[in-house]
Amino acid sequence: MVKSLITLENEAKKALNGAKNLKELDGFFRVYLGKKGEITLLLKSLTKLTAQERKKQGKGINVLKGKIQQLFKDKTQELKQEEISSNAKGDWLDISIPGIKIKQGNLHPLTQVQRRAQDIFRSMGFAVVKGPEVESEWYNFDALNMPPDHPAREMWDTFWLKQKKRSINTKENFLLRTHTSPLQVRYMQQHNPPLRIIAPGRVFRYEATDANHQINFYQLEGLMIGKNVSVANFRAMIQEFYEKFFSKKIAIRLRPSYFPFTEPSFEVDMTCLVCNGKKCKSCGHSGFMEMMGAGMVHPNVFRAAGYNPKNWQGFAFGMGIDRLAMMKYKVEDIRLFYGKDMRFLTQF
Ligand code: DAH
């Protein structure tokens, strides 16, 4: 015999302890216990011995084989356990953790208000029209009964556009529209009465910003022309609009006012929503809130549009969309709508 059983045992134990995973353990098995393994070959070699010798040596080898087999079994068990727990660590899934919330965007509050207003007017037969934000002086002022040097132009602080060398064949001046009223004339020039339109859009004023003023904001213009369209029609229509928009009963009040493009002209007030008409600080203890300008279309505006003022009459109005939003959501500062504070914007 080349190696003593003790040496073999020590070697085998050392190899077994050194095995780091099941694959290495497989290698160990082949070297010691497999078909051609050292212990197996040792047992096979016994056949060459005499019966007596075989008995004597065989016992020792079998004891060694038994020992190594047991150690191999234990080690296999140990490594299997280790592998299971390390796999489990990698794939750990805690099904009780709350999911990751998907962030959903939302429409800007002013867009929501504009769309709601459009829906209500559409339900009353009004078409929605749009026009340019860069407007000509003629549409913004002259056509609306405000010739050059008319003092009423002072009612609007205007951003005039610089005129480069006139490449286009016009003497026109251009500006950022100060109101949506130019659309009245633009639309009438291209359509025959009777008609009902609203024109929502952005307008610009060259003025200082504060809680109630912005250099740009949104208006919604309205125009209804027919043979017999009256102030009473306007009153009924606008009351219906506010009641639908604010989902509550609302009182309307018309106050005489002045606009160059309407005659007569009025300011429209509605029940103060802060105190529900009971008179509070917000409404200056009147119980009413000022909501918009309106009036019966001036004959000169009809003339500018090419209509005969003897044949047609109608009302026009212009409301602030921002104002509407401030009332609906009880927002006290218009600047919040134009800031980028997501804490504010995502509330709507
Ligand atoms: N354009 C006016 C403004 O910006 C609002 C207005 C008043 C519009 C009376 C109208 C109207 O159509 O009839 O202040």
Side-chain angles (χ1 to χ4, degrees):
M1 206 179 290
V2 198
K3 273 183 203 167
S4 77
L5 290 185
I6 303 284
T7 314
L8 190 57
E9 185 177 338
N10 286 340
E11 267 178 24
K13 278 182 179 168
K14 210 171 154 198
L16 206 53
N17 280 336
K20 286 190 232 44
N21 51 43
L22 290 173
K23 205 171 163 206
E24 281 181 23
L25 212 55
D26 222 38
F28 168 87
F29 185 88
R30 252 180 285 121
V31 174
Y32 291 96
L33 300 167
K35 260 191 194 165
K36 289 182 181 162
E38 286 202 44
I39 296 174
T40 317
L41 291 181
L42 216 49
L43 280 170
K44 277 187 183 160
S45 71
L46 289 178
T47 48
K48 292 178 198 146
L49 302 178
T50 61
Q52 224 183 6
E53 275 292 300
R54 199 185 305 148
K55 212 176 171 188
K56 204 172 125 202
Q57 295 204 15
K59 200 177 169 198
I61 298 170
N62 273 325
V63 169
L64 174 66
K65 188 181 175 185
K67 254 194 213 168
I68 300 298
Q69 271 178 333
Q70 188 56 46
L71 288 173
F72 173 79
K73 244 180 161 175
D74 294 348
K75 187 73 181 177
T76 306
Q77 202 58 29
E78 184 189 314
L79 287 179
K80 265 189 183 162
Q81 208 55 45
E82 260 176 33
E83 248 166 61
I84 287 170
S85 63
S86 78
N87 276 349
K89 251 182 231 153
D91 294 344
W92 174 242
L93 175 70
D94 182 353
I95 55 165
S96 70
I97 291 175
I100 298 165
K101 203 174 166 192
I102 296 167
K103 273 194 188 150
Q104 266 192 317
N106 62 294
L107 289 174
H108 192 281
L110 293 179
T111 308
Q112 291 186 39
V113 164
Q114 182 181 320
R115 289 194 182 175
R116 175 75 188 122
Q118 284 175 191
D119 286 347
I120 298 171
F121 280 113
R122 260 201 221 102
S123 76
M124 295 195 278
F126 285 75
V128 180
V129 306
K130 299 267 165 86
E133 290 176 358
V134 172
E135 188 52 281
S136 74
E137 177 179 7
W138 190 81
Y139 278 111
N140 197 83
F141 292 124
D142 302 59
L144 294 169
N145 196 28
M146 279 179 279
D149 304 323
H150 192 293
R153 287 196 181 197
E154 297 288 311
M155 289 164 78
W156 293 272
D157 310 284
T158 310
F159 286 112
W160 292 96
L161 269 65
K162 267 192 190 149
Q163 298 285 344
K164 290 211 181 122
K165 273 212 161 134
R166 291 175 194 278
S167 50
I168 37 173
N169 191 16
T170 171
K171 289 212 166 62
E172 283 269 56
N173 289 315
F174 290 90
L175 51 99
L176 296 180
R177 65 178 177 192
T178 58
H179 50 182
T180 42
S181 302
L183 281 163
Q184 294 183 24
V185 179
R186 278 187 178 276
Y187 191 83
M188 283 193 282
Q189 280 180 327
Q190 284 171 9
H191 298 82
N192 288 324
L195 55 88
R196 289 178 217 196
I197 55 156
I198 55 160
R202 191 148 70 129
V203 301
F204 307 82
R205 301 276 167 96
Y206 179 48
E207 60 189 355
T209 297
D210 65 26
N212 282 306
H213 297 90
Q214 267 290 347
I215 57 156
N216 70 174
F217 56 97
Y218 288 81
Q219 277 190 340
L220 188 144
E221 190 81 12
L223 180 70
M224 179 168 173
I225 306 296
K227 287 275 176 210
N228 297 304
V229 177
S230 67
V231 176
N233 294 148
F234 168 70
R235 204 194 145 99
M237 185 278 306
I238 212 65
Q239 178 154 4
E240 172 80 2
F241 168 75
Y242 283 135
E243 289 187 351
K244 280 198 171 141
F245 186 82
F246 292 109
S247 309
K248 56 159 82 170
K249 266 231 121 3
I250 272 162
I252 294 291
R253 181 171 84 171
L254 304 188
R255 268 184 301 116
S257 183
Y258 171 74
F259 295 102
F261 31 91
T262 43
E263 181 60 39
S265 306
F266 20 82
E267 300 281 347
V268 182
D269 298 345
M270 67 168 222
T271 318
C272 171
L273 293 178
V274 179
C275 62
N276 273 326
K278 294 196 185 73
K279 301 182 179 177
C280 68
K281 225 167 70 187
S282 307
C283 56
H285 301 283
S286 69
F288 283 93
M289 289 272 190
E290 192 180 310
M291 292 304 288
M292 63 166 145
M296 296 304 286
V297 178
H298 195 286
N300 284 349
V301 176
F302 280 136
R303 283 187 194 103
Y307 285 12
N308 183 345
K310 289 205 177 77
N311 297 341
W312 301 102
Q313 65 181 45
F315 62 75
F317 59 90
M319 62 171 85
I321 292 179
D322 308 64
R323 192 81 203 266
L324 219 48
M326 286 167 86
M327 297 284 273
K328 188 173 178 84
Y329 301 123
K330 309 221 181 328
V331 173
E332 282 173 0
D333 195 327
I334 191 176
R335 289 169 292 194
L336 284 166
F337 291 129
Y338 298 90
K340 295 175 188 70
D341 191 339
M342 294 307 282
R343 291 167 305 178
F344 173 75
L345 293 172
T346 51
Q347 287 176 56
F348 298 92

